[in-house]
Amino acid sequence: MKRLVVVGNGMAGMACVEQILKYGQMFHVTVFGDETHVNYNRIMLSSVLAGEKSADDIVINSREWYRTNEIDLRVGVRIVDVDSARKTVTGDDGSVTPYDTLLLATGSTAWMPPIKGLDKDGVFTFRTLDDTRALLQRAGPETRAVVIGGGLLGLEAARGLQMHGCQVTVVHLMATLMERQLDPPGGRFLMAKMKELGIRVVLGKSTTAIRGKGRVEGVEFTGDESLDCDLVVVAAGIRPNVDLARKAGIEVKRGIVVNDHMETSNPDIFAVGECVEHRGVCYGLVAPLFDQGKVLAATMTGRRGPAYEGTVQAAKLKIVGVEMFSAGNIEDEGAEAVRYEDPSLGIYKKVALRNGKLAGVILVGDTADSHRYMEWLRTDADLTERRRHLLFPPPAADVGLDVAEMADSATVCGCVGVTKGTIIHAIHERGVNTLSQLKEATRACTGCGSCTSLCQDLLRAVAPDFEDEKKKTICACVPFAEDRLRDILRSQKLRSVQDVLEIYGNGVGCEICKPALSYMLDMLWCGDHDEDRSARYINDRVHANIQKDGTFSVIPRMRGGVTTPDELRRIADVADKYQVPMVKVTGSQRIDLLGIKKSDLPKVWADLGMPSGQAYTKGVRMVKTCVGTEFCRFGTQNSTAAGIEMERRFEQLFTPHKVKMAAVGCPRNCAEATVKDIGLIGVEGGWQVVVGGAAGKSVRKADLLTTVETTEQALEASELFFQYYRENANYLERTYDFVERLGIEKVRKETVYATDTVKAGLLDRLAKSKARSYDAWKEGQSPRNPTQFVPITVKEKVLV
Ligand SMILES: Cc1cc2nc3c(=O)[nH]c(=O)nc-3n(C[C@H](O)[C@H](O)[C@H](O)COP(=O)(O)OP(=O)(O)OC[C@H]3O[C@@H](n4cnc5c(N)ncnc54)[C@H](O)[C@@H]3O)c2cc1C
Ligand code: SF4
């Protein structure tokens, strides 16, 4: 078998090897990578820096993959020489490895501009996982960071650092941000967005030196100006790694020169990715490397045929809350520009047309249509007939045509390079019917998540059994999709289950639709509806969990898992008095009294004098906490107090399915916040709010919703998500399915990054519901009967 040596264990090298493997085991492959990790998704380093993903989350190929495919992986070894006459490569560990075919996939390195003092402690680049880890170690609240470079990388680095509490200034040489991708108005719109996030931007400044005695103390600009800082990130551009190619004696200009079949000037040496120059272009993006990899795999396996003709360049900023997309040639010269601006909404759109075809596009503030523009660019579509819809979505009747019109070779997921054809193949050949299955089968949608809706459109259009959950009806009694039903109930001002059934249903209902309608009315009218107890589940009617022997389980509320000696005494007394067969500490830090007779329930509640823990309902269950800063030496936040307050704000509210929460004082995560519906994770200088986790029948690590500085901000972010879930999830849909279905990007956009008006609306409706909520064990004393209402007084617990 021929020996293939690959230098560079990055995205391009491994994408090409994956393609080669599709043709069968034709080579014995050895891969050298000077980084010490397996192949990972470099573009997601921005998310790792922002704390949205961990290093494990961005692994593309695990060690197992290399083993299974019999690839000899040599990490931590840098190839320092190539002898193209003897056909060997030499590593910095002294190894000499022979090859029959050599693939150079050496990528780029960060370009360091001529600035004095770049060797000082506190100067970083942002290219590798190690760079990211080093930055994460240094970043912290109050750290003053300067990012040199206002391009995509610089802005993503800036946001990432800011997420850790750094005060960040972006210093850019040019007059507007991302000037290669945006025109001046686009740059100004983007700048406004960055400022809104609290990131300072200084334009037109040339950095001359880094100040400090050994360690960074500031940066100096031309004209004797300077800025104090503790940390500097240089993100001023990249340079292709071509040294080895030079040593191998192959043609090199700015990059390693390759032809349309990805061949270099030496027939045994090939190159792919950011290190190459094709038709005079050196790319700095992932999409071209996937295109190149496919062509190269065909060439290397003796199927020379398909040609690589270049890739339309497109850039998308991956900063949550800041949408920016640019593709093609955005130069005005010789082009007809069509623009739209709305400063209040922060939306700027521009398309540049040449000969009736799209030459380039800029979108700031609203990138929903980016795939449409990419398709027009890729297919060189004639837009004469579509001029009316250049800047706005087509009429509703045409929606969906976009995905049908996309070519099979069009990239859907830019982060992992998955085409429409691959997705369609997975649906037809591997029986993929859900987004999760699609992720597993193709890895589409596992990167930044911005292709979620496109993937769903494809599933909807092609998968025979794809269930568009939004369109799911509850049951045959009320034949409407849930979102439509919510609209009807709202517009028709219906407040009772029976009215809904009589007007829009079969007049009778069943045990499936009645609890769902009960929930919907309660949520829509913020508790001001006609409650019909008979429409609730049995557990909700008796306010306890029925057990297999017909007895009941009683779990009183213990906010945050904290109790008092007095409460414990009362629980013990109740257990004695009613001869409770089992008293059990639950996994959710509460005490369960099992085996209580139905007739004893009201007396037990009265004797306990504690509110219901509602461990039986489709509603808020509990908030599990760890001891946090109060007692733990690792604690960075007072997780117990935060958890208790969280429970106070959410308890007694109904939700589409049960909601479990947790608050932990540090990422050691002792109360398992990452597998809860909502979790608060204390970090140095703030909180991470995570949502959509599960550790039951399904296991899912929660997604990061946001990182904030104060406990109040963390609680507010939780409230926004909580109410958003209440209003938009299908009945009986757990948060982990809900977040998965919508995609965390959309959830973030419509909650923590929504407009102030939208946020205020969510919080207001939640507050109204909360005001009308009441302890289930005090049924009959609700605010609906204010004269009888007696608020329960729970003895103040420690730490509140
Ligand atoms: C933070 C960040 C965000 C990005 N965001 C985006 C984005 O949103 N969209 C987008 O399209 N692109 C983005 N990119 C660019 C994208 O990551 C690159 O285009 C892509 O990784 C290039 O792949 P590559 O394999 O050619 O190079 P690399 O991924 O750099 O891989 C090359 C590998 O070869 C190794 N190597 C080099 N020389 C040697 C040697 N002599 N011996 C052994 N090993 C060697 C390097 O250490 C490296 O591991 C981003 C990049 C960064 C850093
Ligand atoms: S999660 Fe952190 S703060 Fe909380 S108990 Fe564990 S180690 Fe301590």
Side-chain angles (χ1 to χ4, degrees):
M1 206 185 291
K2 277 184 147 192
R3 293 159 303 185
L4 167 64
V5 167
V6 184
V7 184
N9 185 29
M11 296 185 76
M14 288 316 97
C16 183
V17 169
E18 279 186 23
Q19 292 296 327
I20 291 171
L21 291 172
K22 285 189 180 160
Y23 295 110
Q25 206 81 32
M26 302 186 63
F27 294 98
H28 175 265
V29 186
T30 305
V31 176
F32 288 94
D34 61 359
E35 293 186 68
T36 48
H37 325 281
V38 288
N39 177 230
Y40 61 87
N41 191 337
R42 195 174 302 282
I43 83 171
M44 299 313 292
L45 287 178
S46 308
S47 305
V48 175
L49 183 62
E52 294 161 3
K53 296 225 183 263
S54 70
D56 286 348
D57 293 335
I58 67 167
V59 167
I60 299 179
N61 294 306
S62 64
R63 279 184 191 271
E64 187 54 36
W65 176 83
Y66 291 90
R67 257 196 304 274
T68 311
N69 290 294
E70 294 174 15
I71 296 170
D72 186 5
L73 174 65
R74 310 275 295 278
V75 288
V77 180
R78 180 166 185 77
I79 296 301
V80 289
D81 200 10
V82 179
D83 185 335
S84 55
R86 291 209 173 112
K87 297 183 61 173
T88 57
V89 294
T90 307
D92 61 359
D93 59 349
S95 61
V96 177
T97 310
Y99 66 79
D100 298 304
T101 305
L102 176 64
L103 172 57
L104 297 177
T106 47
S108 311
T109 32
W111 177 65
M112 301 307 265
I115 297 173
K116 280 188 227 144
L118 285 175
D119 55 346
K120 291 202 192 318
D121 178 26
V123 178
F124 297 87
T125 52
F126 184 33
R127 175 78 197 174
T128 64
L129 194 51
D130 287 345
D131 292 342
T132 313
R133 284 181 171 151
L135 272 167
L136 283 170
Q137 264 191 354
R138 195 60 80 86
E142 310 310 319
T143 307
R144 296 161 305 168
V146 163
V147 177
I148 300 176
L152 180 131
L153 225 58
L155 297 182
E156 290 186 0
R159 177 57 170 163
L161 290 170
Q162 196 214 18
M163 297 287 267
H164 297 280
C166 298
Q167 297 165 13
V168 189
T169 306
V170 175
V171 177
H172 193 47
L173 182 63
M174 311 306 281
T176 55
L177 289 175
M178 294 190 75
E179 73 288 343
R180 285 169 62 198
Q181 288 88 6
L182 300 177
D183 61 354
R188 283 196 291 277
F189 269 75
L190 179 59
M191 177 141 160
K193 301 248 172 220
M194 297 307 289
K195 282 188 173 165
E196 264 173 38
L197 292 180
I199 293 171
R200 220 178 128 216
V201 179
V202 180
L203 295 171
K205 284 267 175 286
S206 170
T207 313
T208 52
I210 316 276
R211 236 188 322 108
K213 296 184 197 82
R215 202 177 164 122
V216 171
E217 288 171 20
V219 288
E220 291 175 1
F221 309 117
T222 42
D224 282 347
E225 286 179 81
S226 67
L227 191 64
D228 292 343
C229 65
D230 317 298
L231 179 163
V232 172
V233 181
V234 182
I238 52 171
R239 288 290 175 274
N241 290 324
V242 293
D243 287 356
L244 276 187
R246 285 216 172 90
K247 286 182 179 163
I250 56 179
E251 189 187 356
V252 172
K253 289 184 181 164
R254 188 160 177 265
I256 305 168
V257 177
V258 292
N259 64 14
D260 286 1
H261 298 280
M262 305 303 297
E263 294 156 329
T264 68
S265 56
N266 180 323
D268 298 319
I269 304 180
F270 300 87
V272 70
E274 271 188 5
C275 60
V276 308
E277 178 173 328
H278 173 260
R279 296 191 186 178
V281 181
C282 292
Y283 294 97
L285 298 164
V286 287
L289 65 86
F290 293 119
D291 297 343
Q292 293 172 358
K294 280 179 200 149
V295 170
L296 181 52
T299 307
M300 286 171 74
T301 53
R303 292 165 179 82
R304 192 177 188 276
Y308 175 63
E309 293 174 351
T311 305
V312 175
Q313 304 227 39
K316 199 167 193 169
L317 206 55
K318 304 183 296 299
I319 298 181
V320 176
V322 180
E323 295 195 31
M324 190 300 297
F325 172 80
S326 161
N329 179 357
I330 51 135
E331 305 261 312
D332 278 339
E333 215 175 288
E336 186 187 357
V338 185
R339 290 191 183 81
Y340 169 80
E341 318 189 358
D342 186 330
S344 301
L345 290 179
I347 295 175
Y348 176 74
K349 299 183 179 189
K350 171 182 160 180
V351 294
L353 299 172
R354 282 198 178 83
N355 306 321
K357 293 174 176 177
L358 187 63
V361 57
I362 293 172
L363 304 174
V364 184
D366 176 6
T367 56
D369 279 340
S370 54
H371 73 274
R372 204 154 60 102
Y373 294 114
M374 270 314 280
E375 199 47 23
W376 287 348
L377 280 168
R378 225 190 48 78
T379 55
D380 205 20
D382 186 340
L383 302 177
T384 323
E385 298 295 315
R386 302 186 224 198
R387 289 211 50 137
R388 280 180 162 277
H389 303 300
L390 284 182
L391 290 176
F392 297 97
D398 291 350
V399 171
L401 283 183
D402 279 358
V403 295
E405 281 175 1
M406 277 174 81
D408 275 6
S409 54
T411 302
V412 173
C413 173
C415 298
V416 191
V418 184
T419 61
K420 175 184 167 186
T422 309
I423 291 176
I424 303 284
H425 183 265
I427 294 171
H428 286 323
E429 303 299 321
R430 299 174 67 178
V432 163
N433 273 312
T434 67
L435 192 62
S436 320
Q437 290 168 348
L438 186 67
K439 285 181 180 181
E440 207 172 309
T442 65
R443 292 210 299 252
C445 216
T446 55
C448 70
S450 60
C451 63
T452 306
S453 62
L454 200 51
C455 289
Q456 281 173 329
D457 284 350
L458 280 168
L459 280 164
R460 199 167 292 131
V462 188
D465 298 323
F466 177 65
E467 283 194 27
D468 190 345
E469 292 187 287
K470 274 201 152 170
K471 297 216 165 62
K472 238 166 109 182
T473 55
I474 304 168
C475 69
C477 307
V478 199
F480 293 94
E482 286 196 37
D483 48 354
R484 172 98 181 94
L485 196 55
R486 282 193 288 264
D487 289 344
I488 292 174
L489 305 190
R490 199 180 287 118
S491 64
Q492 299 305 309
K493 304 201 168 24
L494 291 171
R495 284 173 196 258
S496 91
V497 172
Q498 200 48 43
D499 284 353
V500 181
L501 288 172
E502 269 161 25
I503 302 169
Y504 292 99
N506 63 1
V508 187
C510 68
E511 72 284 2
I512 297 171
C513 62
K514 283 164 89 178
L517 290 171
S518 271
Y519 167 72
M520 258 183 218
L521 293 169
D522 177 84
M523 178 274 294
L524 282 173
W525 303 113
C526 302
D528 190 12
H529 64 294
D530 301 331
E531 176 68 11
D532 173 1
R533 303 302 304 158
S534 68
R536 295 275 183 187
Y537 287 121
I538 167 73
N539 284 352
D540 278 314
R541 279 183 258 154
V542 295
H543 308 306
N545 231 335
I546 192 159
Q547 305 296 303
K548 67 177 192 177
D549 62 356
T551 62
F552 288 83
S553 122
V554 168
I555 301 185
R557 187 164 293 286
M558 276 180 189
R559 296 188 187 104
V562 175
T563 186
T564 61
D566 180 41
E567 281 179 353
L568 290 174
R569 258 180 231 111
R570 275 184 273 147
I571 290 170
D573 288 346
V574 163
D576 280 345
K577 183 171 169 187
Y578 297 94
Q579 294 174 356
V580 173
M582 184 186 275
V583 182
K584 186 166 188 327
V585 176
T586 71
S588 52
Q589 299 179 338
R590 309 198 282 188
I591 294 176
D592 192 354
L593 300 163
L594 288 138
I596 294 184
K597 290 194 225 85
K598 189 175 177 202
S599 53
D600 286 340
L601 286 173
K603 290 179 271 173
V604 167
W605 301 335
D607 288 354
L608 281 172
M610 294 167 75
S612 165
Q614 292 193 289
Y616 46 80
T617 193
K618 307 287 177 234
V620 171
R621 293 289 172 93
M622 83 307 161
V623 182
K624 196 168 172 174
T625 67
C626 74
V627 289
T629 42
E630 288 302 296
F631 293 99
C632 178
R633 65 201 163 96
F634 298 114
T636 59
Q637 297 291 340
N638 189 341
S639 46
T640 320
I644 290 173
E645 178 57 21
M646 195 177 185
E647 191 157 342
R648 232 179 240 292
R649 291 190 190 190
F650 295 142
E651 64 191 14
Q652 298 162 357
L653 288 169
F654 291 107
T655 41
H657 208 307
K658 59 187 168 192
V659 168
K660 297 180 173 187
M661 293 169 276
V664 291
C666 84
R668 285 176 182 79
N669 197 22
C670 294
E672 299 127 12
T674 49
V675 286
K676 293 284 182 274
D677 296 287
I678 307 179
L680 303 186
I681 302 168
V683 288
E684 209 56 65
W687 291 96
Q688 289 185 337
V689 182
V690 297
V691 296
K697 202 165 65 179
S698 300
V699 179
R700 182 178 192 273
K701 186 175 165 216
D703 290 324
L704 181 76
L705 180 70
T706 185
T707 304
V708 292
E709 284 173 15
T710 66
T711 306
E712 185 48 44
Q713 288 168 336
L715 290 168
E716 187 182 293
S718 313
E719 287 177 318
L720 290 169
F721 172 78
F722 179 80
Q723 183 64 9
Y724 178 72
Y725 166 63
R726 293 182 79 216
E727 294 181 6
N728 293 286
N730 293 316
Y731 193 63
L732 298 187
E733 183 177 35
R734 286 292 298 264
T735 61
Y736 50 84
D737 285 328
F738 175 67
V739 171
E740 187 88 31
R741 172 164 68 85
L742 268 62
I744 189 68
E745 286 289 313
K746 182 174 163 71
V747 174
R748 284 175 183 156
K749 253 191 249 170
E750 297 185 1
T751 56
V752 286
Y753 291 105
T755 61
D756 288 347
T757 322
V758 169
K759 287 201 264 193
L762 285 167
L763 295 177
D764 180 52
R765 291 189 293 278
L766 176 61
K768 282 190 179 130
S769 293
K770 182 68 190 160
R772 300 193 72 85
S773 69
Y774 55 94
D775 174 21
W777 290 348
K778 294 272 177 186
E779 179 105 293
Q781 299 179 348
S782 80
R784 290 184 203 113
N785 297 310
T787 48
Q788 294 178 37
F789 183 59
V790 187
I792 289 180
T793 47
V794 186
K795 200 163 184 264
E796 279 299 282
K797 293 174 177 170
V798 285
L799 303 172
V800 182

